[in-house]
Amino acid sequence: MFVFPGRLLSFAASRSDLATLSSRCSGRASRGRAADRRTPRRKASSRSPPLRSGSRMANKFDGITIVTGHAFNDESLNDHNLHHLPDINPQRIYMDYNATTPLEPQVMQAVSEALQDAWGNPSSNHIAGATARAIINQSRQSVARMVGGKPEDIIFTSGGTEANNLVLHTAVEYFRKSCGAAEQGEGLQNGCHSLPHIITSNVEHDSIKRVALHLQKEGKADVTFVPVSRVSGRVEVEDIIAAVRPATCLISVMLANNETGVIMPLQEICQRVKFLNKQRERLRILVHTDAAQALGKIPVDVQELGVDYLTIVGHKFYAPRIGALFVNGPGSRTPLHPMLFGGGQERNFRPGTENTPMIAGLGKASELVTLNLSEYSSHMQSIKLYLEEQMESVFRDKIRFNNRFPGSDILPNTTNMSILGPRLQGWRVLSTCRRLLASVGAACHSASGHRPSHILLSCGVPSEVAGNALRVSVGRGTTKAEVDAVVEDLRETVQLLEEMN
């Protein structure tokens, strides 16, 4: 079976469903292949790089990116494995760009050149080390420029999960050291007789949520999970401020949600926290945002936001799977306490020999975002709107958009929608689709089975609607031809599933 990022293609339909599906799909597949043979081929666009993974191959077909070739087995699916699959057309259209993105050709080139030419240890004093070190320094500048920071504010990490863990670890250590200084007579600190208090939202990525829960379970911190509004779909500033206590040391709120695309009011939160901090004797409230879903889609400027920390995740904006953490003056203006200890790389904040090729790729991808963000954003917005218009045209009163909230801004590439019907659960629709590759929710929640997304439920989406949700996220090179093919695929799939009923 195909296994792609996100909660895709679980194929957990009943045996009776599969038997019906197999008998009906053989006719569909034959018709689809005949139609495909009549469609002229076009040269692949440079704006939509082919997807490649192992022996899986990709090309362009009538303006549509398709994935062909390799069927992967995932033993972790266990009960969901099938002994027989229907003859499904293997041509796939990827619309799961919130889960991960392919590498841009220029990014691949930067990685390849670094592998060939910059293999030296960046800490070495000879020319091989200097070559690698120069690439890392250039990439640091490019990443900083993308988010409006300074090169010295960028710490490279293995990815977003490490960066988020580093921030929460720092907050707890910062609280401990601040209270220790107060107890030594440097000033009485309100809240020091309590555990460090962390505020976050109830729709965060698991790399924030699970760390916070772990700290709470281990008795190392108190955590308040502020619910998002059922009206706006975002966490409200007043609710965040109302949760502040004397022992509050960190507020962490994502910049944009990965399932709904709702953009959170970080600038307003930071403005209110800045006012609160002026009234505090010693323990400053630090503000962090996970910008994984925002970068490469909307403008992100740390100075305008006013955050102390910002998480950067490369594979969300056509870079390799590597990350970085912006820290506003690490170790001086803003505390940063390492989780690892070693050779002193990254100014001792994140030791370990640097992964030069992946850092080079992150730097190149950051350059592309800085140069082309307006074009990327407007194209994705146009394609998303076209997708929603076509879905409304085909499904009419059966379509429900789950991320349309009055007064809230949404990422330009993200649509969360449900096709209403008793047999049209998101997982069932996606596992029946011949072409669409999308998700029912965040890839990090894929272990939750077929339960409705807790994020949609938190936003006030009814359970029966949330259970049918499809998260469709378009990319820089997604075309209207791809949208047309996907909408037709969904139309055929819905008709097929309804006939099974």
Side-chain angles (χ1 to χ4, degrees), residues 422-438:
R423 292 186 62 84
L424 302 180
Q425 292 82 12
W427 65 266
R428 195 188 298 271
V429 169
L430 289 177
S431 64
T432 308
C433 280
R434 295 173 53 242
R435 308 200 71 176
L436 173 63
L437 294 176

PDB file of all heavy atoms in Angstrom, residues 422-438:
ATOM      1  N   PRO A 422     -23.453   9.343   6.345  1.00  0.00           N
ATOM      2  CA  PRO A 422     -23.165   8.342   7.381  1.00  0.00           C
ATOM      3  C   PRO A 422     -21.986   7.428   7.058  1.00  0.00           C
ATOM      4  O   PRO A 422     -21.378   6.881   7.972  1.00  0.00           O
ATOM      5  CB  PRO A 422     -24.468   7.544   7.476  1.00  0.00           C
ATOM      6  CG  PRO A 422     -25.148   7.765   6.158  1.00  0.00           C
ATOM      7  CD  PRO A 422     -24.782   9.136   5.732  1.00  0.00           C
ATOM      8  N   ARG A 423     -21.632   7.239   5.802  1.00  0.00           N
ATOM      9  CA  ARG A 423     -20.517   6.361   5.453  1.00  0.00           C
ATOM     10  C   ARG A 423     -19.336   7.139   4.886  1.00  0.00           C
ATOM     11  O   ARG A 423     -18.456   6.554   4.259  1.00  0.00           O
ATOM     12  CB  ARG A 423     -20.960   5.312   4.419  1.00  0.00           C
ATOM     13  CG  ARG A 423     -21.952   4.299   4.946  1.00  0.00           C
ATOM     14  CD  ARG A 423     -22.222   3.225   3.909  1.00  0.00           C
ATOM     15  NE  ARG A 423     -21.026   2.473   3.581  1.00  0.00           N
ATOM     16  CZ  ARG A 423     -20.573   1.427   4.276  1.00  0.00           C
ATOM     17  NH1 ARG A 423     -21.219   1.010   5.349  1.00  0.00           N
ATOM     18  NH2 ARG A 423     -19.493   0.790   3.896  1.00  0.00           N
ATOM     19  N   LEU A 424     -19.300   8.442   5.143  1.00  0.00           N
ATOM     20  CA  LEU A 424     -18.291   9.281   4.515  1.00  0.00           C
ATOM     21  C   LEU A 424     -17.276   9.808   5.530  1.00  0.00           C
ATOM     22  O   LEU A 424     -16.820  10.946   5.449  1.00  0.00           O
ATOM     23  CB  LEU A 424     -18.966  10.445   3.778  1.00  0.00           C
ATOM     24  CG  LEU A 424     -19.974  10.040   2.701  1.00  0.00           C
ATOM     25  CD1 LEU A 424     -20.579  11.261   2.041  1.00  0.00           C
ATOM     26  CD2 LEU A 424     -19.323   9.125   1.656  1.00  0.00           C
ATOM     27  N   GLN A 425     -16.918   8.942   6.481  1.00  0.00           N
ATOM     28  CA  GLN A 425     -15.863   9.315   7.416  1.00  0.00           C
ATOM     29  C   GLN A 425     -14.575   9.610   6.643  1.00  0.00           C
ATOM     30  O   GLN A 425     -14.302   8.986   5.604  1.00  0.00           O
ATOM     31  CB  GLN A 425     -15.615   8.205   8.429  1.00  0.00           C
ATOM     32  CG  GLN A 425     -16.753   7.968   9.397  1.00  0.00           C
ATOM     33  CD  GLN A 425     -17.852   7.102   8.818  1.00  0.00           C
ATOM     34  OE1 GLN A 425     -17.668   6.487   7.756  1.00  0.00           O
ATOM     35  NE2 GLN A 425     -18.987   7.040   9.494  1.00  0.00           N
ATOM     36  N   GLY A 426     -13.785  10.541   7.152  1.00  0.00           N
ATOM     37  CA  GLY A 426     -12.591  10.966   6.433  1.00  0.00           C
ATOM     38  C   GLY A 426     -11.666   9.825   6.075  1.00  0.00           C
ATOM     39  O   GLY A 426     -11.174   9.732   4.942  1.00  0.00           O
ATOM     40  N   TRP A 427     -11.421   8.926   7.027  1.00  0.00           N
ATOM     41  CA  TRP A 427     -10.508   7.813   6.765  1.00  0.00           C
ATOM     42  C   TRP A 427     -11.048   6.903   5.666  1.00  0.00           C
ATOM     43  O   TRP A 427     -10.299   6.386   4.841  1.00  0.00           O
ATOM     44  CB  TRP A 427     -10.246   7.007   8.042  1.00  0.00           C
ATOM     45  CG  TRP A 427     -11.452   6.292   8.595  1.00  0.00           C
ATOM     46  CD1 TRP A 427     -12.313   6.740   9.540  1.00  0.00           C
ATOM     47  CD2 TRP A 427     -11.920   4.997   8.217  1.00  0.00           C
ATOM     48  NE1 TRP A 427     -13.308   5.817   9.779  1.00  0.00           N
ATOM     49  CE2 TRP A 427     -13.082   4.732   8.985  1.00  0.00           C
ATOM     50  CE3 TRP A 427     -11.472   4.031   7.309  1.00  0.00           C
ATOM     51  CZ2 TRP A 427     -13.797   3.549   8.876  1.00  0.00           C
ATOM     52  CZ3 TRP A 427     -12.201   2.842   7.201  1.00  0.00           C
ATOM     53  CH2 TRP A 427     -13.336   2.605   7.978  1.00  0.00           C
ATOM     54  N   ARG A 428     -12.365   6.733   5.662  1.00  0.00           N
ATOM     55  CA  ARG A 428     -12.974   5.851   4.666  1.00  0.00           C
ATOM     56  C   ARG A 428     -12.899   6.472   3.271  1.00  0.00           C
ATOM     57  O   ARG A 428     -12.608   5.796   2.272  1.00  0.00           O
ATOM     58  CB  ARG A 428     -14.433   5.576   5.039  1.00  0.00           C
ATOM     59  CG  ARG A 428     -15.053   4.403   4.288  1.00  0.00           C
ATOM     60  CD  ARG A 428     -16.543   4.311   4.566  1.00  0.00           C
ATOM     61  NE  ARG A 428     -16.825   4.082   5.968  1.00  0.00           N
ATOM     62  CZ  ARG A 428     -16.917   2.880   6.537  1.00  0.00           C
ATOM     63  NH1 ARG A 428     -16.729   1.803   5.810  1.00  0.00           N
ATOM     64  NH2 ARG A 428     -17.192   2.769   7.817  1.00  0.00           N
ATOM     65  N   VAL A 429     -13.141   7.770   3.198  1.00  0.00           N
ATOM     66  CA  VAL A 429     -13.064   8.463   1.909  1.00  0.00           C
ATOM     67  C   VAL A 429     -11.643   8.397   1.355  1.00  0.00           C
ATOM     68  O   VAL A 429     -11.416   8.049   0.186  1.00  0.00           O
ATOM     69  CB  VAL A 429     -13.531   9.927   2.050  1.00  0.00           C
ATOM     70  CG1 VAL A 429     -13.212  10.725   0.786  1.00  0.00           C
ATOM     71  CG2 VAL A 429     -15.027   9.986   2.348  1.00  0.00           C
ATOM     72  N   LEU A 430     -10.660   8.711   2.206  1.00  0.00           N
ATOM     73  CA  LEU A 430      -9.273   8.744   1.727  1.00  0.00           C
ATOM     74  C   LEU A 430      -8.763   7.368   1.332  1.00  0.00           C
ATOM     75  O   LEU A 430      -7.984   7.223   0.390  1.00  0.00           O
ATOM     76  CB  LEU A 430      -8.361   9.359   2.787  1.00  0.00           C
ATOM     77  CG  LEU A 430      -8.535  10.868   3.010  1.00  0.00           C
ATOM     78  CD1 LEU A 430      -7.642  11.347   4.136  1.00  0.00           C
ATOM     79  CD2 LEU A 430      -8.244  11.643   1.737  1.00  0.00           C
ATOM     80  N   SER A 431      -9.194   6.340   2.051  1.00  0.00           N
ATOM     81  CA  SER A 431      -8.732   4.992   1.712  1.00  0.00           C
ATOM     82  C   SER A 431      -9.395   4.448   0.452  1.00  0.00           C
ATOM     83  O   SER A 431      -8.927   3.473  -0.137  1.00  0.00           O
ATOM     84  CB  SER A 431      -8.966   4.033   2.884  1.00  0.00           C
ATOM     85  OG  SER A 431     -10.340   3.893   3.159  1.00  0.00           O
ATOM     86  N   THR A 432     -10.470   5.111   0.016  1.00  0.00           N
ATOM     87  CA  THR A 432     -11.169   4.683  -1.201  1.00  0.00           C
ATOM     88  C   THR A 432     -10.758   5.512  -2.412  1.00  0.00           C
ATOM     89  O   THR A 432     -10.874   5.042  -3.544  1.00  0.00           O
ATOM     90  CB  THR A 432     -12.697   4.783  -0.982  1.00  0.00           C
ATOM     91  OG1 THR A 432     -13.052   4.101   0.218  1.00  0.00           O
ATOM     92  CG2 THR A 432     -13.461   4.146  -2.139  1.00  0.00           C
ATOM     93  N   CYS A 433     -10.287   6.724  -2.170  1.00  0.00           N
ATOM     94  CA  CYS A 433      -9.889   7.593  -3.279  1.00  0.00           C
ATOM     95  C   CYS A 433      -8.795   6.934  -4.121  1.00  0.00           C
ATOM     96  O   CYS A 433      -7.875   6.313  -3.582  1.00  0.00           O
ATOM     97  CB  CYS A 433      -9.376   8.938  -2.751  1.00  0.00           C
ATOM     98  SG  CYS A 433     -10.658  10.097  -2.283  1.00  0.00           S
ATOM     99  N   ARG A 434      -8.893   7.087  -5.429  1.00  0.00           N
ATOM    100  CA  ARG A 434      -7.894   6.539  -6.335  1.00  0.00           C
ATOM    101  C   ARG A 434      -6.701   7.472  -6.503  1.00  0.00           C
ATOM    102  O   ARG A 434      -5.616   7.032  -6.849  1.00  0.00           O
ATOM    103  CB  ARG A 434      -8.515   6.278  -7.710  1.00  0.00           C
ATOM    104  CG  ARG A 434      -9.581   5.211  -7.737  1.00  0.00           C
ATOM    105  CD  ARG A 434     -10.268   5.121  -9.099  1.00  0.00           C
ATOM    106  NE  ARG A 434      -9.295   4.962 -10.171  1.00  0.00           N
ATOM    107  CZ  ARG A 434      -9.127   5.837 -11.161  1.00  0.00           C
ATOM    108  NH1 ARG A 434      -9.843   6.957 -11.173  1.00  0.00           N
ATOM    109  NH2 ARG A 434      -8.256   5.616 -12.115  1.00  0.00           N
ATOM    110  N   ARG A 435      -6.882   8.762  -6.266  1.00  0.00           N
ATOM    111  CA  ARG A 435      -5.828   9.707  -6.619  1.00  0.00           C
ATOM    112  C   ARG A 435      -5.411  10.614  -5.474  1.00  0.00           C
ATOM    113  O   ARG A 435      -4.234  10.924  -5.334  1.00  0.00           O
ATOM    114  CB  ARG A 435      -6.284  10.559  -7.819  1.00  0.00           C
ATOM    115  CG  ARG A 435      -6.783   9.722  -8.988  1.00  0.00           C
ATOM    116  CD  ARG A 435      -6.768  10.479 -10.286  1.00  0.00           C
ATOM    117  NE  ARG A 435      -5.401  10.698 -10.741  1.00  0.00           N
ATOM    118  CZ  ARG A 435      -5.096  11.272 -11.903  1.00  0.00           C
ATOM    119  NH1 ARG A 435      -6.055  11.689 -12.701  1.00  0.00           N
ATOM    120  NH2 ARG A 435      -3.842  11.435 -12.252  1.00  0.00           N
ATOM    121  N   LEU A 436      -6.328  11.083  -4.659  1.00  0.00           N
ATOM    122  CA  LEU A 436      -6.023  12.080  -3.646  1.00  0.00           C
ATOM    123  C   LEU A 436      -5.185  11.514  -2.513  1.00  0.00           C
ATOM    124  O   LEU A 436      -5.499  10.471  -1.942  1.00  0.00           O
ATOM    125  CB  LEU A 436      -7.323  12.663  -3.079  1.00  0.00           C
ATOM    126  CG  LEU A 436      -7.161  13.611  -1.882  1.00  0.00           C
ATOM    127  CD1 LEU A 436      -6.361  14.856  -2.261  1.00  0.00           C
ATOM    128  CD2 LEU A 436      -8.523  13.990  -1.316  1.00  0.00           C
ATOM    129  N   LEU A 437      -4.115  12.209  -2.197  1.00  0.00           N
ATOM    130  CA  LEU A 437      -3.326  11.952  -0.997  1.00  0.00           C
ATOM    131  C   LEU A 437      -3.497  13.152  -0.078  1.00  0.00           C
ATOM    132  O   LEU A 437      -3.005  14.248  -0.358  1.00  0.00           O
ATOM    133  CB  LEU A 437      -1.846  11.768  -1.345  1.00  0.00           C
ATOM    134  CG  LEU A 437      -1.489  10.545  -2.185  1.00  0.00           C
ATOM    135  CD1 LEU A 437      -0.004  10.549  -2.519  1.00  0.00           C
ATOM    136  CD2 LEU A 437      -1.859   9.263  -1.466  1.00  0.00           C
ATOM    137  N   ALA A 438      -4.229  12.963   1.008  1.00  0.00           N
ATOM    138  CA  ALA A 438      -4.466  14.019   1.974  1.00  0.00           C
ATOM    139  C   ALA A 438      -4.546  13.373   3.353  1.00  0.00           C
ATOM    140  O   ALA A 438      -4.209  12.201   3.512  1.00  0.00           O
ATOM    141  CB  ALA A 438      -5.740  14.793   1.632  1.00  0.00           C
TER     142      ALA A 438
END
